[in-house]
Amino acid sequence: MKTVDMIVKAKHIFTMEGEGVGYIENMAMVIDRGRIADFVPVDNVDESYTAEKTLELYNHAILPGFIDAHTHVDICIARGLAQDTKNWMFYGLQPFENAMGIDDTRASVKLGIMEAIKSGTTTIGEFSIGVEPTCEFVEKSGIRGIMTETVRSLKERIYNPGELYEFDENRGLRSLEENIAVYDKWNNRDNGRIKVLFGPQGADFLSKELLMRVRDEAKKRNTKVHMHLQQGDRETEQIMMRYRKRPVEWLQGLGYLDDTLIAVHLTDCTEEEAAMVAKSGAGMVVCPGSIGIIDGLVCPSVAFQNAGGYVALGSDQAPGNNCHNIFNEMKLAALFNKIKFGNPEIVPAWKVLRMATIEGAKAIGMGDEIGSLKCGKKADFIAVDLNKYTMQPVYTRPMRNIVPNLVYSARGDEVALSVVDGKVIYENGKIVNIDEVECLEEIKGRVEGISMRAEKEFNEIAGTNFVFMREGKL
Amino acid sequence: MKTVDMIVKAKHIFTMEGEGVGYIENMAMVIDRGRIADFVPVDNVDESYTAEKTLELYNHAILPGFIDAHTHVDICIARGLAQDTKNWMFYGLQPFENAMGIDDTRASVKLGIMEAIKSGTTTIGEFSIGVEPTCEFVEKSGIRGIMTETVRSLKERIYNPGELYEFDENRGLRSLEENIAVYDKWNNRDNGRIKVLFGPQGADFLSKELLMRVRDEAKKRNTKVHMHLQQGDRETEQIMMRYRKRPVEWLQGLGYLDDTLIAVHLTDCTEEEAAMVAKSGAGMVVCPGSIGIIDGLVCPSVAFQNAGGYVALGSDQAPGNNCHNIFNEMKLAALFNKIKFGNPEIVPAWKVLRMATIEGAKAIGMGDEIGSLKCGKKADFIAVDLNKYTMQPVYTRPMRNIVPNLVYSARGDEVALSVVDGKVIYENGKIVNIDEVECLEEIKGRVEGISMRAEKEFNEIAGTNFVFMREGKL
C-alpha cells in the first residue's frame, strides 16, 4: 500500500494519448508530487494506494486541462469595447488602451485569468508589454503560465498608410533587457510552473539585427521565441518595402523558422507559406474568435497541420473576441474551417480537442510535460460535469458523444474542477487561491477612470462604435 | 396608487424599440395581467404603483426574451451523435432517429426546452413529425411555443442519388389532418401562449396539390406556413427534375411566397433568390450553428435583410449544432458573416441582438406582440446577470459594451431570470414549473434503449463517426 497525494476515480477519462482521444473507462488516476503516477482500474485502486485526497468523479469527463497559448489578458478590462469595426487597433482599441495605467493592467489580468480558469484553461500563454503583473497573478492563482515580454523597436508616432516604420534601436534594446530581466526573475518559478519566452512582436516591429539578437538570447537559454507572424497585410507591406520579400520568405532566408519559434496567427499567409513554416519545425497558434471578429478571416491552421505541424488554440484578447474561453475557440476552429472549405468533415471534434490539449502542448514545445494524461507527466487536468444539460445525454455505445458535446455544445460552465501540478486550483465554482469578490470589486473600481480618460480620444477618432452610440445602436 | 402584478426596477433596459437596441437607464418596467403596462423612472415608481412582486435588478441587463424560431427539440436526445460528417441525415442521424420511440421523444423535448429556457429563450418554434409531446411540455414549462406539425407525402424508402421522390397522397393527407387536429386542440392555449402553424416539410416532399392545400388551410385560419426552403442541393435537384425550375422560382410562380410564409434556411439560394423571397413579405429563419456543422455553409440572411426582409435565429437541432442556445446562434450569425464577406463590420452585435428579439418577432409575424419591451406588448423578458465574468466590466460611457458582450462573450449561464406573459418561468437557476431532476433522470433512462436499438444500423451504415469510434478518435 503506497500513500500518494491524490486519487481520481472516474468513469470517463480522455487521456489524449495515441492518435485520437485515448479514452479509458472506469480507471483511477493516481497523482503524486505533482505528476501522474499510475492508472489502475477503479475496483482495484484501493488495494494499492491510499491518498490524502480521493475524488470520485463518476459523472464527469476527465481530460487534460486546456492550453490557451496566446493571450493578452492585460487588456481584458477593455472587454467589449472594440469590435464590429475595420482597423480594430486604431478605431476600436486605441482610445481605451491609451487610457489604461498600470493599476488597470493589474485588474485586467485578474479578470482574464479568472475567466480562463473557470472555463478549464490550465496553461495560459500571455504576451504583453510589461508582463510582470500577469506573472504575479499567474503565480498566485496556480495556473500554469508561459509568459512573454514584448520586444520591439518601433518609434511610436502616427504612420501614414504605406509609410515605412522608423526604429529606435535604444528603445528596442531596452525592451529586450526587460525581457531578459523577466526571464531571470520568473523563469522556472514554482517548480517550473512559470516559463518565460522571448517576444519579438513581429518581424515588422524590429530591425533585422534586433530580431536576430532576441532569437540568440532565447536559444542561449533553451527557451522559445513567441512571435506574431505575417499577422496582416500591414506586416507584409512593411517587410516587402524594407526587404523586398514577404515575411515568411524573408524569415526563412534568415534561418529564423525552426523549432524555437511559436508563430501566431499567420493571418496573411498563403497555404504554401503556412506549410513552409510548419515544415521548419515551428509551432503555430491560431486564434479563431479574435481574428474572425477583428479581420473576418480564417487563418491557415489546416494547411499548417496538413504539412505536419502542430497547432495550439489561443483566445487572444477580450476587446475583440470577447472572451478567454477555450470552449469558444474549439467550436469556432471547427466551424470556421468547415465553412472555409465547405466541408463538414474538416476539423472534427476529436481533432480540435487535440489542438486544445496534446497538439497545443507540442506546438509550444511542452508535449513531454503537459497536454495528455500519461504516467510521468505533470498532473494538469480538468473534470467536466456531464450532468449539465449541454452534456446530456451521455452515450458510450455504439458511439461516444462526449467529445462532440465538449466541442460543439459545452460553454465553459461545465468545468467542475481544475488541477495544475497536482494542486486543485478550481473546485465547486470557486477559484481556490483567489478572493474572487475582491478581484471583481477591484475591476469595477477601474471603470470610471478608464471611461473618463478614454472619452476625448474615442470621440475624436469617431469610429464605428462612436457612430453606433450616437445612433442608439448600443 | 395602482396595484399591479410586477415591478422590475432596473439600471439597464434594452427595449429593442427604434432602430437600435432602445437603451433606457434607471427605469422601472411595470407589468400587469401579462403585459407591459408602463415605464416609470425608478425613483418615482413607488409613488404610482404597488405590486405583488417587485424585482430589484440593478446588476442586470433587462431585455426581451430570445426567440428561437426553428427547432427540432424532439431529437435533442440524440445530442452529439451526428456531426463531422457529409450526408448528415443518412450517415449521422438516421440510426439514432430510427431507434427513437414516442417515450424517447417525450424525454427529448424536455431536455431541449429546459436547455432553451436556461439560456434565455422565451419563444420556441418547434417543427416536428408528431408535435404534440412538445406542445404538452411547452404548456407545462411556461415557455411560449410556435408549434408546427410536419406535413409530407414522401413515400419512405431508399432513394438512389438523382432518383425522383415518390409521393403517397393518402399519407400526405393524413399528416395534414394531423396538423389540423393539433391546431384545433392547441392553438391559442393559455391565452394565446401556444400558437399552431402549418408545416409543409419542404417543396420537394409534397405534391403541388397538397402544398397548395396546406397553405389554404393556414390562410383560412389566419396562421402561418413554416417551411424549409431550398434547404440544400437535393431539394433543388428534386424540384428541377419535377418542374424544371429552381424551388424559389417555382414557388414564386405558384404565388406561394408571401407574408404567410416563414421560410427556413434558404441554404441553396443565391443572393438574388433570397432577395426575391424577402421582397414577397415572407420571413426567414437562419440557423447558423446547425447549417455550419451539417453543411459547412453560411445561409444568405444578409442578402435577405438587405432586400428589406426580417430574419429570425434558430438553433435547429442538437444532433448537429449541438445545442439549443440563442447566445450560440447570435455569436455565430455575426462571425460567420464577417468571414463570408471578409468584413468585420458586417452583422454587428446590435443587429444580431435585434435578430434574436424584435426582428425575429417580425419574421414570424409576432412583431406586434413580442420581441421588444413596449407598453401593451406581452411581458416576455429576461434578466442577464452583469456580475458574471463574461459580462465584466460594464461601461456606459463613452461607449456601452453590454450588447457586444451579450453577443460575443456571454454563453447562456448569465441568464438569471426569465418571464413569459408576465409569469416567472426561470429564476435563481431553477425552472419554476418543472422538476428538473426528474426530467434529467427520465432522459438518462432512455439512453440504454436507444443505444441498443441503434447499434446494428450504426454499424451497417459505417459512417464517419463509426470509423472514428473504431479508430479510438471519440
Side-chain angles (χ1 to χ4, degrees), chain A residues 385-419:
Chain A
D385 184 356
L386 300 178
N387 274 333
K388 293 271 184 180
Y389 290 3
T390 46
M391 297 301 296
Q392 278 288 323
V394 175
Y395 293 83
T396 53
R397 74 186 180 93
M399 175 182 162
R400 273 185 300 276
N401 65 344
I402 299 172
V403 169
N405 286 336
L406 278 170
V407 170
Y408 296 122
S409 181
R411 332 182 279 196
D413 62 318
E414 300 83 357
V415 175
L417 172 81
S418 185
V419 175

Side-chain angles (χ1 to χ4, degrees), chain B residues 92-374:
Chain B
L93 185 61
Q94 186 172 304
F96 300 102
E97 199 170 24
N98 284 344
M100 284 172 60
I102 182 69
D103 289 336
D104 300 310
T105 305
R106 283 186 200 288
S108 192
V109 304
K110 294 177 186 177
L111 179 61
I113 288 174
M114 291 193 298
E115 184 191 2
I117 289 174
K118 280 178 171 269
S119 49
T121 296
T122 54
T123 296
I124 197 156
E126 175 68 2
F127 194 111
S128 314
I129 299 173
V131 78
E132 246 193 296
T134 315
C135 295
E136 287 163 12
F137 198 70
V138 163
E139 183 177 45
K140 184 170 181 192
S141 69
I143 198 171
R144 187 175 304 288
I146 315 298
M147 317 306 294
T148 306
E149 178 66 38
T150 307
V151 181
R152 66 176 195 178
S153 39
L154 182 75
K155 189 176 276 185
E156 294 218 14
R157 60 168 178 83
I158 305 291
Y159 292 95
N160 296 316
E163 191 186 356
L164 196 64
Y165 297 156
E166 268 188 277
F167 294 143
D168 174 342
E169 281 303 277
N170 282 331
R171 187 183 177 134
L173 283 169
R174 278 199 307 276
S175 65
L176 174 58
E177 282 161 19
E178 177 61 24
N179 199 152
I180 293 170
V182 170
Y183 181 92
D184 290 343
K185 181 168 175 189
W186 289 95
N187 191 56
N188 273 335
R189 273 274 177 109
D190 194 17
N191 195 31
R193 183 163 59 82
I194 298 178
K195 296 283 181 194
V196 178
L197 316 184
F198 280 73
Q201 186 167 352
D204 51 336
F205 285 120
L206 295 80
S207 67
K208 180 180 148 189
E209 293 66 33
L210 186 58
L211 201 63
M212 297 306 288
R213 171 83 191 282
V214 179
R215 181 172 176 257
D216 291 343
E217 298 291 348
K219 280 190 181 283
K220 211 190 302 181
R221 291 167 180 82
N222 200 25
T223 185
K224 296 270 181 184
V225 170
H226 180 184
M227 182 171 84
H228 300 91
L229 178 56
Q230 215 158 309
Q231 68 168 320
D233 47 13
R234 214 172 56 170
E235 176 177 338
T236 306
E237 182 188 68
Q238 288 288 326
I239 301 294
M240 286 291 289
M241 282 194 292
R242 205 181 288 278
Y243 307 111
R244 308 276 159 218
K245 287 184 178 163
R246 287 170 60 84
V248 165
E249 186 191 0
W250 179 66
L251 289 165
Q252 172 86 329
L254 290 180
Y256 214 83
L257 306 180
D258 65 13
D259 62 6
T260 296
L261 183 66
I262 303 168
V264 183
H265 298 323
L266 284 72
T267 318
D268 198 40
C269 282
T270 62
E271 299 212 333
E272 293 69 28
E273 287 171 330
M276 191 187 290
V277 181
K279 283 175 185 154
S280 77
M284 173 178 175
V285 187
V286 70
C287 305
S290 162
I291 302 302
I293 285 197
I294 292 176
D295 296 316
L297 293 171
V298 182
C299 296
S301 58
V302 171
F304 197 94
Q305 288 169 331
N306 287 344
Y310 292 113
V311 181
L313 297 171
S315 62
D316 212 0
Q317 35 69 34
N321 182 10
N322 295 349
C323 49
H324 292 294
N325 178 349
I326 287 297
F327 286 96
N328 179 70
E329 306 312 320
M330 287 200 295
K331 182 158 191 173
L332 296 182
L335 285 175
F336 284 4
N337 282 299
K338 291 179 198 304
I339 284 166
K340 179 177 179 174
F341 295 99
N343 179 359
E345 301 204 341
I346 284 263
V347 192
W350 61 267
K351 180 67 179 176
V352 90
L353 189 63
R354 288 181 62 84
M355 292 167 73
T357 55
I358 183 62
E359 296 190 15
K362 289 178 179 175
I364 60 170
M366 296 186 72
D368 293 337
E369 289 286 48
I370 59 173
S372 68
L373 304 179
K374 186 187 174 186

Side-chain angles (χ1 to χ4, degrees), chain B residues 39-79:
Chain B
F39 287 94
V40 187
V42 162
D43 292 342
N44 308 130
V45 66
D46 295 335
E47 297 162 19
S48 311
Y49 294 101
T50 174
E52 305 267 321
K53 185 176 177 100
T54 296
L55 299 170
E56 305 210 335
L57 299 171
Y58 299 121
N59 292 311
H60 297 73
I62 312 296
L63 57 155
F66 296 137
I67 296 165
D68 187 346
H70 183 76
T71 63
H72 304 282
V73 291
D74 63 326
I75 53 171
C76 187
I77 201 162
R79 189 201 304 276

Side-chain angles (χ1 to χ4, degrees), chain A residues 387 389 397 436 444 455, chain B residues 387 389 397 436 444 455:
Chain A
N387 274 333
Y389 290 3
R397 74 186 180 93
E436 295 184 53
K444 290 178 180 177
E455 186 148 22
Chain B
N387 273 332
Y389 289 3
R397 74 185 181 94
E436 294 184 55
K444 290 178 181 179
E455 188 149 20

